[in-house]
Amino acid sequence: MAFTFFSLATPSIHPQSFCLKPSISQFKPLHGFSRFHRRFGFPAVVVSAGKFDPTPADEDPPEAPEDSGHGLYKFQQIQRQAARARKREEEQFRKDQSIFLNAIADVEDAPENVDAIDAEAAGDDLFGEIDKAIAMKRKEFVKQGLLKPNPKKDSVVPEGIAEGIEELEPDEVVDLDEIRELQGLTVISADSDDDESEKLDEEGSAGNVNGRSPSISSFDVDFDSFGQSKVRIVEPKFRMSLAELLDESKVVPVLVYGDLEVEITGIQHDSRVVNSGDLFVCCVGRKTDGHLYLSEADKRGAVAVVASKEIDIEETLGCKALVIVEDTGLVLPALAAAFYRRPSKNMAVIGIAGTNGKTTTAYLIKAMYEAMGLRTGMLSTVAYYVHGENKLEAPLTTPDSVLIQKLMAKMLHNGTEAVVMEASSHGLALGRCNEVDFDIAVFTNLTRDHMDFHESEEDYRNAKAKLFSRMVDPDRHRKIVNIDDPNAPFFIAQGNPDVPVVTIAMENKDADVHPLKFELSLFETQVLVQTPQGILEISSGLLGRHNIYNILAAVAVGIAVGAPLEDIVRGIEEVDAVPGRCELIDEEQAFGVIVDYAHTPDALSRLLDSVRELGPKRIITVFGCAGESDRGKRPMMTKIATDKSDVVLLTSDNPNNEDPLDILDDMLAGVGWTMQDYLKYGANDYYPPLPNGHRLFLHDIRRVAVRAAVAMAEEGDIVVVAGKGHETYQIEGDKKEFFDDREECREALQYVDELHQAGIDTSEFPWRVTRESLRQCLKQHREILS
């Protein structure tokens, strides 16, 4: 059940691998910074905008009635989505109206009796319905005055061929006429040659408008996409005997049973996705044991098993071999790499490690490599790309070792030459990246995260460092390190110290790559970058100071591999936005709305600092903390948000099986409050400002919190919705429902716009709940505690 702590009143409103090169051609820097139009009036700044001291309201806002529907009912949401879809269709129709009119200009008018069309098309229902729809649409255009009438003409059979077709059916006569017309066959008498020639010339000149013939003008030719077609992605097929697989992977089994010559056509460690011919590897995880699911894998067609415990395969249906090893989790990456022929050895692989900025940096590096003419794939939190725009569906978790090798094999088979990959701490700690042959290691930053998985912050750092420990070949490997981070020396020291290092920084001007000057606005980021090979001027659609670090990391990779400087600039400027990463939601409102994935204390702090530099009147922040994860960061994030935002709305974010009220109670500890304190304030119809003058409210329904934030925003404010970013789901208990912060913001902006059109002021709307609702919340909370 949802608990409402304030609510919205609902009014009744119906190349080949890229080689490392020591020398780089000089690039002539561009000239001057262009000024970008600022619609919302946020001043562009080069340095910090200074402190902002908001003035709290002298009077409390009026009481708002309870809204048990929390904004909109489901039916109303569907109505709004349908209205928006109709609006988009109408706009697209108006845009392409001339194309539609030209396409049916020569179609004959529909008869008064619509059923006549069906009679003519008897025996061909599909095309009959199409002809009927076209004729009726043309009739509508004629009534509107957009087309001239074109009455249906009676079919006339030429005299010269009438005798030869006397026995044809009426439909066949019409078909013959159409065929001869298409073939350009016309019966012309000898004495009418000259007249017909003149007539044809006149028709040709009359129809040739602006140098285009009538036949061509009836079609829309998209010259921008001419010659381009969607690349067909081919799924490679692999097969080998179990004996060959063990030999190629260099796995030394403890015991072997059965037929080692059995043919393997795939490898799986999840019994739910096993196919016929697969090798099933029984891995022991944190929550379950793969040995328990052997029977399911067998039923699905597994032909061989790798296990760390002795099991009886004689009772299975199709398993013909059993291999016993000491640790199945350890041998799984080696088996997968061998089966898929070690694809990473034939591509340039860039790994990115760090707490924040990995996804955006991956997008930038991918675009830069493609600007160099290389087919580049990507494995990131947001999406997987074979190369170019060929996108694959990304699962919710870090890809396992089998999927990594399978995806890379697919990339290589389809011509991919380089791969950019996020190397998460989970993937590195669990050995998922063990058999990936990295060429470049990038370190963005390191702050607290995943303390529910790692035993300590040192354990977390050591997991990240595994990527750099594999940088051992000075001729091939490169390290990219952010030396503004205090952990930089630790990462530089990993692996071979002789491997070249390219450093980046914003504060440390001794870095190889650093900004000489930068300018921020709500629409773009302009930065002048100093590199060992020259100065670059970059204008990026990525917003905020924190994205400058990501840009610098991408530039450093380009410098490390000897990329032409013009390709570096062109590739980085190609990335206008990254899904859910400081993504601007623009519905032509008078204030800014930004959606970001920031879900750690450091990420939230950096985000709000970047937003403050844009010079808003107020920052209104909405965020929550996930359930069943690191509880220690909850009060920290609340303290950061209330210090750096003028108004904060605490809410829910994937509570999973944890009570949302318990999560909010942990978060309130960041300002020294408890849930009971907050409810007592509500009982008195007054939520006091914090000691710094900022305001704090909460609502456990995220949709309502987003709408409240948008409703209270005024011209010059910026609303920040943090935590989910690109995610399109909300998990509560066993339910996983669609939820997209970006779509919710757009819906909220439309909702508030309708309120404004109805004359409702939402600038201080709403803070209070009715006493009856509050008493209900207190009662429900006591029941939960008991």
Side-chain angles (χ1 to χ4, degrees):
M1 179 178 290
F3 298 91
T4 305
F5 302 108
F6 65 81
S7 60
L8 283 172
T10 308
S12 299
I13 299 179
H14 301 266
Q16 315 135 338
S17 289
F18 194 82
C19 302
L20 300 173
K21 301 177 183 177
S23 61
I24 307 170
S25 58
Q26 293 295 322
F27 174 63
K28 189 173 182 179
L30 303 174
H31 299 285
F33 274 50
S34 61
R35 298 291 176 183
F36 196 89
H37 172 67
R38 298 170 178 82
R39 184 193 311 153
F40 300 155
F42 297 118
V45 293
V46 174
V47 294
S48 174
K51 295 183 178 179
F52 181 81
D53 297 319
T55 302
D58 296 328
E59 298 181 359
D60 288 320
E63 178 175 331
E66 170 68 4
D67 171 22
S68 59
H70 306 302
L72 284 179
Y73 296 103
K74 191 69 177 178
F75 181 72
Q76 290 175 302
Q77 296 178 35
I78 296 173
Q79 283 183 319
R80 292 177 185 276
Q81 293 172 356
R84 292 181 64 188
R86 283 195 297 270
K87 182 179 178 182
R88 287 194 296 268
E89 289 179 358
E90 291 170 359
E91 291 174 350
Q92 187 65 33
F93 173 78
R94 286 193 294 269
K95 179 181 177 182
D96 299 331
Q97 189 177 48
S98 61
I99 300 172
F100 300 149
L101 295 177
N102 286 335
I104 63 175
D106 297 327
V107 176
E108 294 177 343
D109 291 338
E112 292 299 323
N113 183 11
V114 179
D115 295 333
I117 303 176
D118 293 337
E120 293 176 4
D124 194 352
D125 294 337
L126 175 60
F127 291 100
E129 288 298 320
I130 293 174
D131 293 338
K132 179 180 176 181
I134 293 174
M136 295 304 296
K137 178 57 70 174
R138 192 188 190 287
K139 189 174 183 180
E140 179 182 335
F141 287 157
V142 170
K143 287 182 179 180
Q144 296 174 0
L146 299 175
L147 288 174
K148 294 181 179 180
N150 185 23
K152 184 173 182 179
K153 303 177 181 61
D154 294 330
S155 300
V156 178
V157 181
E159 296 179 0
I161 60 172
E163 296 180 359
I165 60 171
E166 287 178 349
E167 297 181 0
L168 295 178
E169 297 293 331
D171 290 342
E172 294 173 330
V173 174
V174 174
D175 292 341
L176 183 59
D177 288 342
E178 292 176 351
I179 292 171
R180 291 185 178 280
E181 183 180 351
L182 290 172
Q183 291 175 336
L185 300 178
T186 308
V187 178
I188 302 175
S189 61
D191 34 337
S192 64
D193 283 351
D194 296 336
D195 295 337
E196 289 294 331
S197 299
E198 292 175 5
K199 183 178 179 181
L200 290 172
D201 290 341
E202 290 173 1
E203 290 176 352
S205 61
N208 192 354
V209 181
N210 296 329
R212 296 194 308 172
S213 66
S215 60
I216 295 178
S217 64
S218 299
F219 298 93
D220 177 33
V221 181
D222 186 2
F223 290 101
D224 292 334
S225 61
F226 184 75
Q228 298 179 1
S229 61
K230 186 173 179 61
V231 177
R232 179 170 174 263
I233 300 301
V234 180
E235 192 76 39
K237 301 294 183 183
F238 296 88
R239 60 181 67 242
M240 64 173 62
S241 69
L242 181 58
E244 288 178 302
L245 179 60
L246 294 175
D247 184 55
E248 290 289 334
S249 63
K250 296 181 173 55
V251 170
V252 180
V254 177
L255 291 171
V256 176
Y257 299 99
D259 181 13
L260 289 182
E261 295 304 318
V262 61
E263 186 178 68
I264 305 297
T265 58
I267 296 180
Q268 295 295 346
H269 64 93
D270 185 343
S271 62
R272 295 168 295 182
V273 294
V274 168
N275 292 314
S276 178
D278 284 353
L279 168 68
F280 180 60
V281 182
C282 304
C283 292
V284 180
R286 300 179 69 190
K287 297 182 179 180
T288 189
D289 186 345
H291 296 82
L292 302 175
Y293 303 96
L294 174 60
S295 60
E296 182 180 356
D298 174 49
K299 292 177 183 178
R300 291 180 178 271
V303 296
V305 179
V306 175
S308 57
K309 303 175 183 177
E310 288 197 29
I311 53 180
D312 187 4
I313 63 169
E314 291 184 0
E315 298 180 0
T316 62
L317 299 173
C319 288
K320 300 177 181 178
L322 170 64
V323 178
I324 303 294
V325 296
E326 291 184 358
D327 188 341
T328 50
L330 191 62
V331 303
L332 181 62
L335 291 170
F339 181 78
Y340 290 107
R341 310 294 185 186
R342 295 184 170 81
S344 62
K345 289 187 175 296
N346 296 298
M347 297 183 289
V349 184
I350 303 96
I352 307 170
T355 305
N356 303 309
K358 296 189 296 295
T359 300
T360 301
T361 302
Y363 270 84
L364 290 168
I365 295 173
K366 177 180 183 291
M368 181 182 66
Y369 267 68
E370 288 176 343
M372 292 188 277
L374 298 173
R375 285 188 169 189
T376 307
M378 184 175 75
L379 301 176
S380 78
T381 307
V382 174
Y384 302 153
Y385 286 89
V386 176
H387 57 67
E389 297 302 317
N390 299 288
K391 184 178 179 181
L392 302 173
E393 190 67 29
L396 303 180
T397 57
T398 305
D400 58 65
S401 54
V402 176
L403 183 56
I404 289 174
Q405 298 295 334
K406 184 177 181 179
L407 289 172
M408 287 190 171
K410 188 173 185 177
M411 293 176 186
L412 181 64
H413 186 74
N414 287 276
T416 300
E417 299 158 287
V419 182
V420 187
M421 178 180 176
E422 292 184 41
S424 69
S425 60
H426 287 74
L428 292 165
L430 296 174
R432 295 172 180 173
C433 304
N434 282 359
E435 297 296 324
V436 177
D437 190 10
F438 290 99
D439 296 283
I440 299 174
V442 180
F443 169 66
T444 58
N445 50 67
L446 191 73
T447 58
R448 178 192 178 102
D449 197 12
H450 300 304
M451 289 298 104
D452 54 320
F453 177 81
H454 299 283
E455 296 179 357
S456 63
E457 293 188 23
E458 182 180 3
D459 182 51
Y460 176 54
R461 186 182 70 168
N462 291 337
K464 296 285 188 183
K466 287 185 177 181
L467 174 64
F468 281 77
S469 66
R470 298 163 68 176
M471 299 293 105
V472 295
D473 185 352
D475 295 330
R476 184 167 69 92
H477 292 150
R478 297 291 184 270
K479 302 175 185 177
I480 312 297
V481 179
N482 171 18
I483 60 174
D484 279 346
D485 191 284
N487 295 284
F490 173 78
F491 284 88
I492 292 174
Q494 301 301 308
N496 187 343
D498 295 330
V499 170
V501 180
V502 180
T503 58
I504 66 170
M506 287 188 66
E507 308 299 333
N508 191 334
K509 299 307 178 183
D510 293 330
D512 299 317
V513 178
H514 63 270
L516 298 175
K517 180 182 179 182
F518 63 89
E519 184 174 336
L520 305 174
S521 77
L522 190 59
F523 299 100
E524 71 173 356
T525 297
Q526 298 190 36
V527 56
L528 203 65
V529 181
Q530 176 71 62
T531 77
Q533 306 302 326
I535 297 175
L536 306 181
E537 184 178 351
I538 297 172
S539 179
S540 172
L542 302 177
L543 309 179
R545 173 190 286 263
H546 61 289
N547 269 321
I548 295 180
Y549 276 106
N550 302 327
I551 291 171
L552 296 177
V555 170
V557 171
I559 295 298
V561 300
L565 299 189
E566 57 267 31
D567 289 345
I568 296 176
V569 174
R570 187 170 71 253
I572 290 175
E573 291 185 344
E574 189 70 22
V575 181
D576 291 326
V578 176
R581 302 307 192 270
C582 208
E583 185 173 350
L584 181 66
I585 307 300
D586 185 6
E587 296 289 322
E588 299 184 356
Q589 71 276 8
F591 51 88
V593 178
I594 291 175
V595 173
D596 193 83
Y597 187 55
H599 62 285
T600 67
D602 180 70
L604 184 62
S605 178
R606 290 171 184 261
L607 173 64
L608 295 177
D609 285 342
S610 296
V611 172
R612 181 63 70 186
E613 285 189 282
L614 301 177
K617 287 172 55 180
R618 295 185 304 171
I619 297 178
I620 303 170
T621 300
V622 181
F623 82 100
C625 291
E628 299 180 327
S629 64
D630 185 4
R631 294 184 59 184
K633 71 179 182 181
R634 295 173 183 174
M636 297 169 60
M637 293 182 69
T638 301
K639 181 68 167 61
I640 290 169
T642 52
D643 285 348
K644 300 188 176 186
S645 307
D646 304 288
V647 180
V648 175
L649 290 91
L650 305 182
T651 188
S652 176
D653 183 353
N654 294 336
N656 292 296
N657 292 308
E658 191 172 354
D659 188 337
L661 286 179
D662 291 339
I663 299 173
L664 290 170
D665 194 32
D666 289 343
M667 296 172 70
L668 285 171
V671 293
W673 289 2
T674 65
M675 181 63 71
Q676 291 296 331
D677 294 334
Y678 186 83
L679 293 173
K680 288 177 183 177
Y681 293 140
N684 297 322
D685 291 334
Y686 177 70
Y687 297 101
L690 299 171
N692 60 4
H694 297 175
R695 307 298 296 270
L696 173 67
F697 305 93
L698 61 83
H699 200 295
D700 65 332
I701 298 180
R702 192 175 183 92
R703 176 174 289 109
V704 180
V706 170
R707 291 195 173 186
V710 171
M712 73 180 71
E714 299 175 329
E715 183 175 355
D717 292 342
I718 294 183
V719 176
V720 177
V721 182
K724 298 185 78 67
H726 66 284
E727 291 181 353
T728 56
Y729 57 87
Q730 176 83 331
I731 303 174
E732 187 167 354
D734 295 330
K735 293 191 303 180
K736 181 179 179 181
E737 298 180 346
F738 176 83
F739 193 96
D740 188 334
D741 275 349
R742 297 162 295 182
E743 189 62 29
E744 291 300 327
C745 287
R746 294 186 182 98
E747 293 289 344
L749 288 167
Q750 182 181 3
Y751 173 68
V752 171
D753 182 58
E754 291 181 2
L755 295 181
H756 291 168
Q757 291 179 15
I760 300 174
D761 180 17
T762 63
S763 59
E764 296 182 348
F765 177 75
W767 298 135
R768 307 180 190 214
V769 294
T770 60
R771 291 180 180 276
E772 181 180 353
S773 174
L774 182 63
R775 284 194 295 270
Q776 184 180 2
C777 289
L778 286 167
K779 180 181 178 181
Q780 292 171 336
H781 189 61
R782 291 192 188 100
E783 291 176 354
I784 292 173
L785 293 177
S786 62

